[in-house]
C-alpha cells in the first residue's frame, strides 16, 4: 500500500521542532528511524499531514557519561547502542537487548527514542528502561522535565509525552558491575517476543521488567521480593497474581504465564552465573 | 556408429552445474518484472475489497471517488459483468464437482474478506488508493460459513443456495480388501487425526499484471507475472470476448510462483477488462496486504486416518477420511478439488498395501479460496502416511527405519500399479532410504539422541518416504475439459554468427528453467552454452505449451528442447556434409565447430556455415535443404504422470519447558531421474524443504470465527527465515524415465512433499519418552506444551 499524502519537513534544531509542534499539533509526527512509523503510514494506520524529520537535530544525538549518570541521546540507533563502550559499561542490559531487536537493517535505523516513544508493549527497550530505573528527558520550548520510566508508559502505545514535547534523551544511573540478563522467547529471531524479561540487580534487590505480557511493559513487585530473597519458585508462583497476559495468535494466557515462569527460572540461573 | 545418448555426447552439459544465464542480469537489478514496465498512457488500478467474510452489497456511492485527484474511472461489479463474463471452476473428470459462477468484481454479494468489489483507476497507485478510501459501500452482513467441520451441518448457511448445499466435491476410493485387513485379529490398528494448517505461498514478487488493450488492432497484450501464459491467453480471450489469436500474454521475469501464479484471479481479470474498457494500459500490482487475502491459500485439511499392521511389521491397510475447506468458489480453471483428490490418490503411495480406502470431502466456506500450491496434496498425504507408519512402528516396537524397509515397494517391482490406481514406471524407495540412513549416520544419531535424553535433552529423528507426481500428461487437466496444454514445444535456431536461440513453451519463475533449456540445447546442437539465448514466456514468440507447474519444466520442456536441438544438429550436418563433401554421419558438431566424428578434427566453424547459408546460398547445391531452425513438441504418452520418489529426515530438539522446536539438520535423497543441473536441482530441493518446514512449524492463515483473516501481514504470518533453518543435505538416486530420451522427471516439489512429515515424526520421536504426540500443523509452542500437559 501507499501512504496517504503528507508534507515533509526537516529540522536541524530543537527550536524548529517546537515551532512545528506548536503550529501543527497532533497533525504532525516526528520521524526518527522510521522503522515503525513508515510501516504504519504505508498501512494507512496513521495518516499525519506532516512528517517532521528530526534526524538532523544534533542535540538529540550522542552517548555521554558524567557524574555517575549515563545519558543516551534519543536518536542513538540500536546498532550504536549495542556497540557503545559507555553503554556496555554502565547499562549492559541495553547491550544485551540489542541483538534481540529485529534485524541488522532495522537496528541500523531504529532509535532508542523512537522505540520508547512508540511504547510497544512487546518491545525490549521500554522494559529495559523500566528495569534500569531510567529517567526520560522530555524537552519542550519551556525547558526540560524528567519522568521516571515507571511513570512514562501509562497504557497501550501511550506515553507521558505531551503534544509539545520531544523525547530528548534517556538518563540511567550507572549500573556498572550489577548483574543483569535479558531473556525472551520469539518464534523467529528478531520477532517481537511472546514473552520477554529484562532483569537487573540493584543492590540487594532485583528489578523484573516484563514485555509482551500486557498493555505496557510492567514490573512484578511480589515476584521481585521473592526473587531477591532467593526464592525463585516463590517468585514463579507469584507471577500468577501479577501477570494477566492476553490471548493472541501465539496461544492462550496460560501459555504466556507458563513461559514467563520458565524465563524467570532461566533469568535466575543467568544472574547466578554472573 | 550408434547415436550417443544426450547425457554422453562429448559436448553435453547434462549433469553439470552451469551458472544460470539470467542470474547476473537479475542480481544486477536489470530484471523486468511487471511492476518495472511502464507504457505510454498507463494508468493504475486499486481495488476496494470486501471487509466482510459474507455480505450483501446494498449500494455503492462512488461520487466522491470519481472526483478525486487523478481518478480516471470507478467501476462496480455490475459494470464489470458487462465486459467480463463469469467463470465456473469445474473439471468433467472430477465427477460431481460443482461451483458457482465467479465474477471479476463481486456483483450483489461478497463471499470472502478480500474479494474485490470496486475497481478504481487513477494516474498513480497512490491516487487510486486515496480514492478507494472515498468509495462508500452500504453492506448488509450475512452469516458466514467459516468452520469446515460444520459446513455441511443442518443450519449452516448455504453459501450458494442454487447449489443446494456447501458440498463442492466428494470422492471415495477403495482398493484391495481394507475391511479384511482391519478385521484381522492378529493385526494392530493405529489411528490419529491430522490437521495441516491453511497456509499460502508467499512470492517475493506479488501478483502483477499490466494489460494493454489496443482498440486499433482489437488486441490485448498482457504482461503478466504468471506460470502459464498460454492458459491465460485462452482465459482472457474467452471471458473478454476476444479470439485467442488476438491475445498475447508475456511473462518476463517472474519473482517466484510456487503454484500461486497459475490460477485465474478476479482482480487480474478485472485489470484486463478495464484495459479493454478504457482502451489504454492498466497496471495492477498486488501489495502484500491484499495478497494475503487474495492469493490462493492451500492445505486446509483435517484427516482422520488409521492403519493396520501385523505383529511382525507388515502394514496391510490404510484408511483415510479427508475434509478440506476451499473458500466460496472452486478456483478456475484447475479447480479446488484437486488437492483433496490428490490426498485420496497419494496416501500410502510408497507402500505395498493389501487394502486401501480413502475419501475426501471438499466443502465451501467464506474464506479466501484455496487451490494448488507447490506439491499439491503431497505434504498432506505424506504427513498422514508417514505419521501412521511411525505409529505402527511404535505400536509393535519396531524401529522406524526397519518398518519402512519391510513395507516400501521393492525397487525391482516396477512397472507397478498400486491400490490407489497409480502407475509407477520405476521408483527407488529402498535405494533412497539406504542412502539417506547412511548420509545421516542413522545409528550414530540414535545413540546421540539416547545419550542426550539421559541428560534431559529431548531430540528426535523423523523419517519420511514419499512419492511425487511430475510430468503430467493430458490426464491431469485436458481430460477434464480445461484448455491447459500437457504438450510443450521448443524452437531451436542457428543464426549466421554461430549462435543458437531456443524458444520454449515452459516458463521461468526463478527456478532456473532457462539454464536447463540452455544446457540441453547447447549439448544437443553442439555449441558452447554461452552461445545459446533462451526465450520463454511469450505466447507470440514461443511454441504453444503449458508453462511451468507440476514439476513439468525439465521433463517435458527439456525433452522438447533436446529433440529440437538434435534436429537442428542434423540439419547442420547435412549442410556441412555438402560443403565438406563428407557424409553427414561422419561429422558431428562440438563446441560450435563441425568436426570429424571419429577423430574430432575441426572441419568448419558454425559461423562459416552460417555465413554461407545465409549470405552465399548461391554457392550451395540447388536442392540442398537450408533450414537452420527446428521445432519439436513432446507430451508424455505412456504414463499419466512420471512419479518420482525420495526420502527425507529431520533431526531436531524440542525444548520441553517452552515447547519450542530447534531444527538441527535435514536430509533429502530424491530420485528425479536424470539430473540436468545438480546445483539447480539441489537448490530446488532445499527451497522446497524450507517451504515444507514453514508449513510444519510457522506458516498459518488463522481466521476469526467471523471469517476475518487474523494473520494478514508478514508480522503475523510467519515465514521461515534463514536463521531458523537447518543445514539441508541433498543427494540423489537416478532412475531415468524411459519415456523420454532425456530421462528427466520433475524435481521442484519433492522437498515440500516430505519435509512436514519428517518434522512431525521427529517431534513425536523427541516427545515419545514423555508420552506426548502432536498431529496438528503448525507445531507451535502452545500445541506442544498442551500435548505435554504443561498448559
Amino acid at each position: 500500500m501507499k501512504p496517504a499524502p503528507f508534507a515533509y519537513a526537516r529540522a536541524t534544531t530543537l527550536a524548529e521542532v517546537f515551532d512545528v509542534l506548536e503550529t501543527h499539533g497532533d497533525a504532525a509526527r516526528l520521524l526518527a528511524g522510521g522503522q515503525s512509523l513508515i510501516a504504519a503510514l504505508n498501512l494507512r494506520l496513521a495518516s499525519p499531514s506532516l512528517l517532521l524529520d528530526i534526524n538532523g537535530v544534533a542535540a538529540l544525538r550522542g552517548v555521554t557519561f558524567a557524574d555517575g549518570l549515563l545519558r543516551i541521546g534519543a536518536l542513538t540507533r540500536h546498532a550504536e547502542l549495542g556497540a557503545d563502550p559507555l553503554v556496555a559499561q554502565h547499562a549492559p542490559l541495553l547491550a544485551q537487548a540489542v541483538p534481540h531487536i529485529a534485524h541488522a537493517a532495522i537496528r541500523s535505523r531504529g532509535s532508542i527514542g523512537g522505540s520508547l516513544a512508540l511504547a510497544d508493549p512487546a518491545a525490549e527497550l521500554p522494559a529495559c528502561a523500566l528495569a534500569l530505573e531510567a529517567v526520560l528527558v522530555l524537552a519542550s520550548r519551556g525547558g526540560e522535565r524528567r519522568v521516571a520510566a515507571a511513570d512514562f508508559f501509562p497504557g497501550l502505545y501511550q506515553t507521558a509525552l505531551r503534544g509539545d514535547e520531544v523525547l530528548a534523551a534517556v538518563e540511567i544511573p550507572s549500573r556498572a558491575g550489577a548483574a543483569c540478563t535479558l531473556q525472551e522467547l520469539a518464534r523467529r529471531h528478531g520477532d517481537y517476543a511472546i514473552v520477554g524479561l529484562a532483569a537487573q540487580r540493584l543492590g540487594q534487590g532485583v528489578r523484573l521488567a516484563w514485555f509482551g505480557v500486557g498493555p505496557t511493559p510492567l514490573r512484578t513487585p511480589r515476584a521481585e521480593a521473592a526473587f531477591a530473597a532467593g526464592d525463585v519458585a516463590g517468585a514463579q508462583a507469584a507471577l500468577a497474581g501479577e501477570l494477566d497476559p492476553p490471548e493472541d495468535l501465539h496461544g492462550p494466557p496460560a501459555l504466556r504465564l507458563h513461559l514467563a515462569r520458565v524465563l524467570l527460572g532461566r533469568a535466575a540461573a543467568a544472574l547466578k552465573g554472573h | 556408429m550408434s547415436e550417443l545418448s544426450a547425457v554422453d555426447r562429448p559436448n553435453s552439459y547434462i549433469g553439470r552445474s552451469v551458472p544460470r544465464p539470467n542470474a547476473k542480469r537479475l542480481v544486477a537489478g536489470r530484471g523486468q518484472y511487471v511492476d518495472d514496465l511502464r507504457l505510454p498512457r498507463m494508468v493504475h488500478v486499486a481495488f476496494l475489497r470486501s471487509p466482510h467474510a459474507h455480505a450483501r452489497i446494498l449500494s455503492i456511492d462512488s461520487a466522491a471517488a470519481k472526483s478525486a485527484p487523478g481518478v480516471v474511472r470507478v467501476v462496480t461489479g455490475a459494470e464489470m459483468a458487462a465486459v467480463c463474463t463469469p467463470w465456473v471452476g469445474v473439471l468433467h473428470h472430477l465427477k460431481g464437482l460443482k461451483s458457482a459462477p465467479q465474477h471479476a468484481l463481486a456483483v450483489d454479494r461478497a463471499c470472502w474478506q478480500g474479494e474485490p468489489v470496486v475497481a478504481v483507476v487513477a494516474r498513480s497507485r497512490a491516487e487510486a488508493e486515496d480514492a478507494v478510501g472515498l468509495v462508500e459501500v452500504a453492506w448488509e452482513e450475512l452469516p458466514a460459513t467459516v468452520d469446515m467441520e460444520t459446513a455441511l451441518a443442518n443450519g449452516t448457511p448455504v453459501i450458494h443456495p442454487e447449489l443446494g448445499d456447501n458440498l463442492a466435491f466428494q470422492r471415495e476410493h477403495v482398493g484391495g480388501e481394507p475391511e479384511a485387513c482391519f478385521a484381522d485379529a492378529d493385526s494392530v490398528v493405529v489411528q490419529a487425526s491430522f490437521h495441516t494448517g491453511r497456509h499460502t505461498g508467499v512470492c517475493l514478487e506479488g501478483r502483477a499484471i499490466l494489460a494493454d488493450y489496443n482498440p486499433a488492432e482489437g488486441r490485448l497484450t498482457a504482461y503478466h507475472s504468471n506460470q502459464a501464459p498460454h492458459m491465460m491467453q485462452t482465459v482472457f480471450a474467452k471471458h473478454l470476448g476476444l479470439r485467442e489469436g488476438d491475445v498475447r500474454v508475456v511473462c518476463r521475469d517472474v519473482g517466484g510462483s510456487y503454484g500461486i501464479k497459475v490460477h485465474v484471479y478476479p482482480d487480474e481479470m478485472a485489470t484486463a477488462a478495464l484495459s479493454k474498457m478504457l482502451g489504454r494500459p492498466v497496471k495492477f500490482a498486488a501489495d502484500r496486504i491484499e495478497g494475503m487475502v487474495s492469493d490462493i491459500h492451500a492445505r486446509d485439511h483435517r484427516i482422520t486416518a488409521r492403519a493396520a499392521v501385523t505383529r511382525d511389521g507388515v502394514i496391510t491397510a490404510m484408511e483415510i477420511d479427508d475434509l478440506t475447506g476451499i473458500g466460496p468458489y472452486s478456483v478456475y480453471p484447475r479447480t479446488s478439488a484437486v488437492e483433496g483428490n490428490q490426498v485420496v490418490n497419494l496416501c500410502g503411495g510408497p507402500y505395498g498395501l493389501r487394502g486401501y480406502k480413502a475419501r475426501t470431502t471438499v466443502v465451501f466456506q467464506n474464506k479466501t479460496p484455496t487451490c494448488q500450491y507447490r506439491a499439491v496434496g503431497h505434504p498432506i498425504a505424506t504427513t498422514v502416511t508417514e505419521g501412521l507408519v511411525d505409529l505402527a512402528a511404535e505400536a509393535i516396537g519396531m524401529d522406524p527405519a526397519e518398518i519402512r524397509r519391510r513395507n516400501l515397494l521393492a525397487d525391482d517391482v516396477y512397472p507397478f500399479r498400486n491400490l490407489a490406481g497409480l502407475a509407477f514406471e520405476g521408483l527407488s524407495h529402498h535405494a533412497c532410504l539406504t542412502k539417506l540412513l547412511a548420509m545421516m549416520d542413522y545409528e550414530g544419531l540414535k545413540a546421540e539422541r539416547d545419550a542426550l535424553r539421559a541428560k534431559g535433552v529431548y531430540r528426535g529423528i523423523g523419517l519420511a518416504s514419499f512419492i511425487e507426481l511430475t510430468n503430467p500428461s493430458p490426464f491431469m487437466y485436458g481430460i477434464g475439459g480445461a484448455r491447459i496444454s500437457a504438450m510443450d514445444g521448443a524452437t531451436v535456431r542457428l543464426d549466421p554468427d554461430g549462435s543458437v536461440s531456443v524458444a520454449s513453451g515452459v516458463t521461468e519463475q526463478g527456478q532456473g528453467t532457462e539454464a536447463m533449456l540452455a544446457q540441453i540445447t547447447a549439448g544437443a546442437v553442439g555449441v558452447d552454452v554461452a552461445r545459446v539465448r533462451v526465450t520463454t514466456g511469450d505466447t507470440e514468440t514461443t511454441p504453444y505449451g503449458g508453462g511451468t507447474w507440476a514439476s513439468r519444466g525439465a521433463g517435458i520442456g527439456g525433452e522438447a528442447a533436446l529433440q529440437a536441438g538434435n534436429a537442428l544438429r542434423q540439419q547442420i550436418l547435412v549442410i556441412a556434409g555438402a560443403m565438406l563433401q563428407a557424409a553427414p554421419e561422419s561429422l558431428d558438431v562440438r563446441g560450435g565447430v563441425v568436426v570429424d566424428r571419429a577423430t574430432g578434427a575441426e572441419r568448419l566453424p558454425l559461423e562459416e556455415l552460417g555465413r554461407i547459408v545465409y549470405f552465399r546460398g548461391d554457392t550451395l547445391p540447388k536442392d540442398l535443404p537450408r533450414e537452420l531452425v527446428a521445432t519439436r513438441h513432446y507430451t508424455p504418452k505412456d504414463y499419466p504422470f512420471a512419479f518420482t520418489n525420495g526420502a527425507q529426515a529431520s533431526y531436531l530438539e524440542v525444548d520441553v519447558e517452552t515447547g519450542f522446536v530447534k531444527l538441527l539438520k535435514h536430509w533429502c535423497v530424491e530420485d528425479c531421474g536424470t539430473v540436468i543441473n545438480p546445483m539447480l536441482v539441489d537448490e530446488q530441493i532445499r527451497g522446497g524443504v524450507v517451504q515444507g518446514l514453514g508449513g510444519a512449524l510457522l506458516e498459518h492463515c488463522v481466521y476469526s470465527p467471523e471469517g476475518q483473516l487474523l494473520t494478514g501481514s508478514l508480522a503475523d504470518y510467519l515465514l521461515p527465515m534463514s536463521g531458523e533453518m537447518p543445514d539441508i543435505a541433498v543427494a540423489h538416486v537416478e532412475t531415468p524415465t524411459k519415456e523420454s530420451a532425456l530421462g528427466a522427471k520433475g524435481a521442484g516439489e519433492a522437498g515440500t512433499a516430505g519435509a512436514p512429515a519428517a518434522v512431525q515424526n521427529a517431534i513425536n520421536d523427541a516427545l515419545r519418552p514423555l508420552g506426548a504426540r502432536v498431529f496438528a500443523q503448525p507445531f507451535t509452542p502452545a500445541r506442544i506444551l498442551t500435548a505435554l500437559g504443561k498448559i
Side-chain angles (χ1 to χ4, degrees):
Chain A
M1 289 177 80
K2 311 292 183 192
F6 58 85
Y8 171 87
R10 191 180 293 162
T12 54
T13 66
L14 279 175
E16 289 170 359
V17 176
F18 302 142
D19 287 346
V20 168
L21 291 180
E22 277 174 23
T23 309
H24 295 272
D26 289 346
R29 290 288 297 269
L30 302 185
L31 175 66
Q35 296 306 294
S36 299
L37 179 58
I38 297 299
L41 295 183
N42 285 340
L43 292 168
R44 298 198 178 210
L45 296 173
S47 47
S49 58
L50 173 68
L51 274 194
L52 178 62
D53 185 339
I54 59 171
N55 284 288
V57 180
L60 300 176
R61 292 199 165 278
V63 177
T64 59
F65 182 76
D67 303 326
L69 208 58
L70 180 71
R71 183 185 163 101
I72 302 169
L75 279 177
T76 304
R77 313 291 174 185
H78 304 321
E80 294 170 344
L81 200 64
D84 192 285
L86 290 172
V87 172
Q89 186 181 351
H90 298 292
L93 182 63
L94 292 174
Q96 277 194 43
V98 165
H100 294 281
I101 303 173
H103 307 282
I106 291 172
R107 292 195 292 270
S108 295
R109 292 288 307 170
S111 66
I112 187 170
S115 177
L116 296 174
L118 180 67
D120 191 308
E124 290 82 1
L125 294 181
C128 289
L130 213 54
L132 288 162
E133 297 195 341
V135 170
L136 283 71
V137 181
L138 314 185
S140 66
R141 179 93 66 199
E144 291 184 343
R145 68 180 177 118
R146 283 170 165 70
V147 176
D151 300 323
F152 187 72
F153 304 105
L156 182 64
Y157 291 110
Q158 292 177 337
T159 70
L161 275 164
R162 296 194 311 250
D164 62 341
E165 286 180 325
V166 178
L167 175 57
V170 183
E171 292 179 346
I172 302 167
S174 175
R175 307 301 182 199
C180 62
T181 184
L182 190 123
Q183 303 279 336
E184 71 169 60
L185 290 166
R187 300 276 297 282
R188 302 174 303 177
H189 185 90
D191 283 353
Y192 281 115
I194 303 176
V195 182
L197 168 63
Q200 176 72 51
R201 287 263 183 217
L202 277 182
Q204 294 307 305
V206 68
R207 303 291 177 263
L208 302 175
W210 300 90
F211 50 104
V213 291
T216 66
L218 55 93
R219 280 174 52 185
T220 47
R222 291 207 296 279
E224 287 180 3
F227 193 96
D231 179 10
V232 176
Q236 288 171 316
L239 290 177
E242 295 192 284
L243 296 179
D244 182 20
E247 169 152 15
D248 72 357
L249 290 168
H250 292 298
L255 169 72
R256 281 192 163 79
L257 189 59
H258 170 81
L259 294 177
R261 288 190 183 122
V262 172
L263 285 191
L264 193 52
R266 290 180 181 182
L271 292 180
K272 202 171 179 179
H274 184 80
Chain B
M1 185 182 258
S2 67
E3 182 73 10
L4 289 169
S5 79
V7 180
D8 296 331
R9 271 180 51 73
N11 204 109
S12 173
Y13 287 90
I14 291 168
R16 288 172 56 185
S17 293
V18 176
R20 51 173 80 187
N22 52 10
K24 197 169 172 183
R25 179 172 58 80
L26 297 176
V27 171
R30 299 301 297 266
Q32 285 195 317
Y33 299 92
V34 170
D35 206 29
D36 293 321
L37 305 176
R38 288 179 182 27
L39 296 179
R41 298 181 65 248
M42 183 178 85
V43 286
H44 300 258
V45 60
F47 294 94
L48 185 149
R49 294 176 184 275
S50 172
H52 304 295
H54 197 193
R56 195 178 313 285
I57 301 164
L58 299 177
S59 64
I60 297 172
D61 179 358
S62 47
K66 282 176 176 164
S67 59
V71 170
V72 174
R73 185 85 175 254
V74 179
V75 175
T76 64
E79 297 165 78
M80 178 59 64
V83 179
C84 182
T85 57
W87 53 86
V88 182
V90 294
L91 289 167
H92 310 315
H93 69 303
L94 297 172
K95 289 189 177 56
L97 171 61
K98 64 191 190 223
S99 189
Q102 184 180 8
H103 286 265
L105 295 175
V107 179
D108 302 315
R109 192 170 61 115
C111 288
W112 84 88
Q113 179 219 355
E115 182 173 4
V117 176
V118 180
V120 177
V121 182
R123 288 175 308 195
S124 72
R125 168 82 186 199
E127 286 174 327
E129 286 187 20
D130 289 345
V132 164
L134 300 174
V135 176
E136 297 280 350
V137 179
W139 297 100
E140 178 196 348
E141 271 196 76
L142 299 171
T145 298
V146 178
D147 184 357
M148 65 185 183
E149 296 284 353
T150 56
L152 300 179
N154 281 336
T156 298
V158 174
I159 296 174
H160 306 292
E162 70 274 23
L163 298 182
D165 55 27
N166 288 324
L167 180 68
F169 178 67
Q170 195 160 42
R171 180 186 156 215
E172 182 169 291
H173 174 86
V174 180
E177 298 180 328
E179 298 308 329
C181 296
F182 283 108
D184 175 26
D186 293 331
S187 290
V188 181
V189 175
V190 295
Q191 56 192 355
S193 193
F194 299 84
H195 288 86
T196 53
R198 175 182 269 250
H199 54 285
T200 182
V202 179
C203 306
L204 271 180
E205 180 208 22
R207 292 187 296 106
I209 181 171
L210 168 54
D212 181 15
Y213 180 78
N214 184 335
E217 295 179 315
R219 299 199 71 201
L220 172 72
T221 302
Y223 303 91
H224 201 179
S225 184
N226 194 277
Q227 301 170 234
H230 284 100
M231 181 193 93
M232 289 310 303
Q233 178 187 43
T234 295
V235 170
F236 288 131
K238 179 171 179 182
H239 295 283
L240 296 175
L242 302 168
R243 288 181 302 199
E244 283 185 22
D246 288 330
V247 176
R248 179 182 184 184
V249 178
V250 183
C251 303
R252 293 190 180 167
D253 294 315
V254 175
S257 51
Y258 321 116
I260 303 303
K261 296 173 179 172
V262 77
H263 309 296
V264 170
Y265 288 94
D267 44 23
E268 296 174 10
M269 293 299 292
T271 304
L274 287 165
S275 179
K276 190 171 178 224
M277 293 163 87
L278 294 166
R280 62 194 290 187
V282 182
K283 181 189 279 186
F284 167 65
D287 66 34
R288 193 61 72 192
I289 300 297
E290 65 188 340
M292 292 303 292
V293 291
S294 61
D295 293 2
I296 58 106
H297 294 176
R299 317 228 212 284
D300 197 0
H301 290 245
R302 185 268 294 147
I303 312 95
T304 306
R306 59 181 188 147
V309 59
T310 65
R311 305 255 169 214
D312 56 353
V314 177
I315 300 170
T316 54
M318 289 188 182
E319 186 176 308
I320 311 294
D321 187 13
D322 173 59
L323 173 68
T324 179
I326 58 164
Y329 298 100
S330 170
V331 172
Y332 184 65
R334 289 166 196 255
T335 85
S336 305
V338 168
E339 195 179 64
N341 196 51
Q342 291 291 56
V343 172
V344 171
N345 285 338
L346 296 167
C347 280
Y351 301 100
L353 303 175
R354 297 174 197 163
Y356 179 65
K357 182 175 179 183
R359 183 174 71 160
T360 187
T361 302
V362 180
V363 299
F364 294 116
Q365 56 183 175
N366 294 111
K367 292 183 182 178
T368 297
T370 72
C371 204
Q372 281 76 288
Y373 163 45
R374 195 176 196 170
V376 189
H378 293 71
I380 303 158
T382 308
T383 292
V384 172
T385 303
E386 296 302 290
L388 289 175
V389 169
D390 269 24
L391 285 172
E394 185 179 349
I396 60 167
M398 186 174 280
D399 182 274
E402 179 58 25
I403 199 169
R404 286 177 171 79
R405 278 190 210 103
R406 292 191 186 198
N407 289 280
L408 286 168
L409 288 172
D411 287 357
D412 61 1
V413 75
Y414 306 100
F416 183 84
R417 182 178 292 273
N418 78 357
L419 292 183
L422 304 181
F424 303 132
E425 182 203 23
L427 303 178
S428 56
H429 286 297
H430 289 268
C432 285
L433 181 65
T434 301
K435 198 165 189 173
L436 180 83
L437 297 175
M439 253 173 102
M440 65 193 284
D441 182 16
Y442 182 64
E443 294 302 326
L445 216 54
K446 284 201 307 187
E448 178 181 291
R449 173 198 67 188
D450 294 343
L452 286 167
R453 275 181 189 172
K455 297 177 185 170
V457 175
Y458 291 89
R459 290 191 174 179
I461 303 165
L463 302 176
S465 291
F466 61 92
I467 54 172
E468 172 71 47
L469 176 159
T470 77
N471 295 4
S473 75
F475 279 86
M476 189 144 189
Y477 292 116
I479 193 173
R483 290 171 67 91
I484 300 170
S485 177
M487 182 166 86
D488 262 90
T491 297
V492 176
R493 186 183 80 219
L494 179 73
D495 286 340
D497 70 341
S499 65
V500 171
S501 77
V502 54
S504 170
V506 294
T507 51
E508 163 86 58
Q509 297 99 38
Q511 68 277 72
T513 300
E514 295 191 348
M516 172 274 294
L517 291 168
Q519 283 178 256
I520 293 170
T521 304
V525 179
V527 299
D528 189 292
V529 69
R531 302 300 308 275
V532 178
R533 303 181 312 279
V534 183
T535 301
T536 61
D538 187 341
T539 56
E540 197 85 340
T541 59
T542 71
Y544 199 93
T548 299
W549 41 270
S551 297
R552 68 187 297 280
I556 296 176
E559 179 68 10
L562 177 70
Q563 300 298 347
N566 284 341
L568 175 60
R569 189 178 76 247
Q570 291 307 321
Q571 293 170 340
I572 291 169
L573 293 177
V574 167
I575 296 169
M579 291 171 66
L580 299 167
Q581 299 196 338
E585 314 82 70
S586 71
L587 301 170
D588 195 5
V589 185
R590 297 174 194 166
V593 180
V594 178
V595 300
D596 182 83
R597 191 181 188 93
T599 66
E602 297 193 359
R603 301 291 305 275
L604 181 68
L606 287 182
E607 51 264 53
E608 178 60 11
L609 182 141
R611 184 184 73 82
I612 299 295
V613 169
Y614 286 104
F615 309 122
R616 291 303 309 273
D618 58 304
T619 66
L620 296 172
K622 258 187 182 174
D623 55 353
L624 182 73
R626 290 121 195 268
E627 305 302 331
L628 286 174
V629 57
T631 298
R632 292 292 183 274
H633 286 82
Y634 177 70
T635 189
K637 300 177 200 77
D638 295 344
Y639 286 85
F641 313 100
F643 272 94
T644 71
N645 67 283
Q648 297 194 29
S650 169
Y651 187 46
L652 53 75
E653 185 173 315
V654 179
D655 181 336
V656 297
E657 284 192 308
T658 63
F660 276 57
V661 173
K662 182 175 174 55
L663 301 171
L664 300 171
K665 181 102 184 189
H666 199 97
W667 298 264
C668 178
V669 178
E670 67 85 57
D671 183 348
C672 62
T674 305
V675 173
I676 297 162
N677 185 319
M679 183 170 68
L680 286 176
V681 171
D682 286 1
E683 295 312 319
Q684 277 290 295
I685 298 292
R686 289 195 179 93
V689 165
V690 168
Q691 282 186 313
L693 297 176
L697 292 171
L698 295 163
E699 300 182 51
H700 200 189
C701 297
V702 182
Y703 279 82
S704 76
E706 296 77 31
Q708 294 286 319
L709 181 65
L710 302 176
T711 51
S713 81
L714 295 188
D716 295 315
Y717 184 87
L718 306 182
L719 288 169
M721 307 280 273
S722 57
E724 281 74 32
M725 290 298 104
D727 281 347
I728 302 166
V730 182
H732 305 278
V733 169
E734 294 193 43
T735 310
T737 171
K738 298 183 191 76
E739 260 208 85
S740 68
L742 189 60
K745 300 184 270 195
E749 302 173 278
T752 315
V759 168
Q760 168 190 269
N761 287 353
I763 291 173
N764 287 334
D765 182 45
L767 298 179
R768 190 162 292 122
L770 303 169
R773 289 171 182 156
V774 286
F775 294 110
Q777 299 175 37
F779 303 112
T780 62
R783 283 172 166 166
I784 289 171
L785 289 173
T786 301
L788 287 165
K790 298 205 171 182
I791 61 170

